[in-house]
Amino acid sequence: MSEDPRLETGSSLERATADAVLDLARRAADVDGVEAVSEAFRLALTSGRGEVTHVLAYAGGSLAGYAARDGSGSAELVVDPSSRRQGAGRALLRAVLDAGATGVWAHGDLPAAKGLAADAGLVSTRELHVMERPVRDGDDVDPALPEGFSVRAFEPGRDEQAWLDVNRLAFASHPEQGSITLEDLHERMAQDWFDPAGFLLVEDTTATSDGGAHPLAAFHWTKREVGSDQGEVYVVGVHPAYQGRGLAGPLTGLGTAHLARQGVTTIELYVDGDNTRALATYRRAGFEDAAIHVVYGPAPAP
Ligand SMILES: CC(C)(COP(=O)(O)OP(=O)(O)OC[C@H]1O[C@@H](n2cnc3c(N)ncnc32)[C@H](O)[C@@H]1OP(=O)(O)O)[C@@H](O)C(=O)NCCC(=O)NCCS
């Protein structure tokens, strides 16, 4: 017999409750092979910062599941492996949607998440591909750029504004990335992993601005956590005026060559499923899907 879960909703959690949720999330990740609660939501659990609504599901007096919605309307949800198929997931999903969630992440898009979303009448509204490829012999050699372009490393204190401008234009249709501010950029530059040598700027050497600088045409920002043997294609962008001129392939290769020279053995990246040009570029560069994370939400109005 299944019993109705009891739900508790709040904007902050006691430390012991947050720890119990983290334990539950760890048990689920062991069974599912993927984390249901992302880093941002894990931080919100313990810091109490951000506009987060937490929902706890109890069954038979113990914690059976957890869901949360952040200020942007994104939600995540997880049910303890020992409490599944008893209605907790359905109740938590309804609660976060009632609390204003517009999309629920299904990391790894597991069969149970697909089933729960279908049960609730939700559809896939966003797919985030995690792509990966091993580093092979010869990857450490820089590819040639088309004529008229050259590459150099980002210089802190000099290149911030030019980069922000190109990033905004290149990601005009991906506001999450395109709306990055100088403050956000500084925050990333203050991280341990930040290395200007891995933040590559491609300039148009056939033109000069009023100040005598070459215009920034494209960039490839790579990332490698300190000591990690995995590198990441962190952000790649081409100024719209320079799109369609064969920069994407060599631009990708310049970053992967830099990472290969750092000694990484695999390279990963995250790309939205609707970014067909980027997906095609990465597939051509040998990247394959390692996982797909899906956001489920109400079907858009016809
Ligand atoms: C997805 C998850 C939250 C479901 O939790 P749950 O408490 O087991 O779900 P419920 O018991 O409320 O199931 C409600 C309905 O979802 C569907 N469903 C749930 N698990 C399913 C499974 N393994 N396979 C197919 N459909 C499933 C069914 O339609 C089910 O109704 P039914 O039991 O009457 O057939 C849970 O498996 C989980 O924590 N997975 C890892 C995290 C995750 O993927 N979160 C994203 C959710 S969008």
Side-chain angles (χ1 to χ4, degrees):
M1 274 277 291
S2 65
E3 63 174 309
D4 278 343
R6 181 173 61 81
L7 299 187
E8 271 179 25
T9 302
S11 56
S12 66
L13 295 181
E14 305 255 322
R15 182 73 218 199
T17 312
D19 285 343
V21 170
L22 291 171
D23 280 348
L24 184 156
R26 253 189 302 275
R27 283 194 296 279
D30 284 346
V31 168
D32 297 327
V34 58
E35 298 275 356
V37 185
S38 65
E39 187 186 30
F41 277 88
R42 280 202 301 275
L43 289 173
L45 264 170
T46 46
S47 74
R49 282 197 292 119
E51 237 185 273
V52 177
T53 299
H54 305 274
V55 189
L56 301 156
Y58 290 92
S62 36
L63 187 64
Y66 168 77
R69 174 197 58 78
D70 71 10
S72 75
S74 262
E76 297 191 336
L77 113 80
V78 61
V79 171
D80 193 297
S82 66
S83 302
R84 291 187 181 170
R85 283 325 265 272
Q86 294 164 41
R90 184 187 283 133
L92 284 165
L93 181 58
R94 188 171 316 122
V96 282
L97 291 171
D98 289 348
T102 49
V104 184
W105 279 98
H107 299 286
D109 198 22
L110 303 170
K114 284 187 205 285
L116 178 63
D119 173 81
L122 303 181
V123 297
S124 159
T125 56
R126 181 178 172 194
E127 279 186 6
L128 187 66
H129 293 239
V130 185
M131 302 183 87
E132 219 174 71
R133 86 178 196 45
V135 170
R136 303 185 196 94
D137 282 351
D139 277 344
D140 54 349
V141 180
D142 281 342
L145 280 164
E147 209 168 326
F149 295 97
S150 69
V151 62
R152 67 172 173 87
F154 180 91
E155 276 182 43
R158 170 182 166 197
D159 292 319
E160 284 82 349
Q161 195 53 52
W163 179 78
L164 285 167
D165 292 345
V166 174
N167 181 67
R168 192 185 60 253
L169 293 168
F171 288 97
S173 54
H174 287 85
E176 222 174 65
Q177 175 63 30
S179 62
I180 282 186
T181 62
L182 183 60
E183 202 185 0
D184 299 327
L185 174 58
H186 282 157
E187 193 179 25
R188 285 162 177 75
M189 289 166 68
Q191 303 298 312
D192 284 357
W193 55 261
F194 180 71
D195 177 13
F199 190 167
L200 305 169
L201 305 185
V202 169
E203 292 176 327
D204 175 0
T205 55
T206 65
T208 39
S209 67
D210 292 347
H214 294 308
L216 178 58
F219 62 87
H220 184 161
W221 189 352
T222 65
K223 175 176 175 183
R224 178 184 169 231
E225 295 289 350
V226 178
S228 170
D229 57 8
Q230 186 168 61
E232 183 182 336
V233 172
Y234 186 50
V235 205
V236 172
V238 179
H239 187 302
Y242 291 96
Q243 288 176 7
R245 288 169 61 173
L247 280 175
L251 185 63
T252 305
L254 286 168
T256 53
H258 169 81
L259 289 167
R261 288 193 294 270
Q262 302 299 296
V264 304
T265 53
T266 55
I267 301 177
E268 66 162 8
L269 62 87
Y270 294 76
V271 58
D272 264 285
D274 66 354
N275 196 344
T276 41
R277 285 207 220 162
L279 277 169
T281 301
Y282 296 137
R283 291 207 168 108
R284 264 198 303 274
F287 286 89
E288 289 177 4
D289 281 336
I292 298 183
H293 302 319
V294 173
V295 176
Y296 286 103

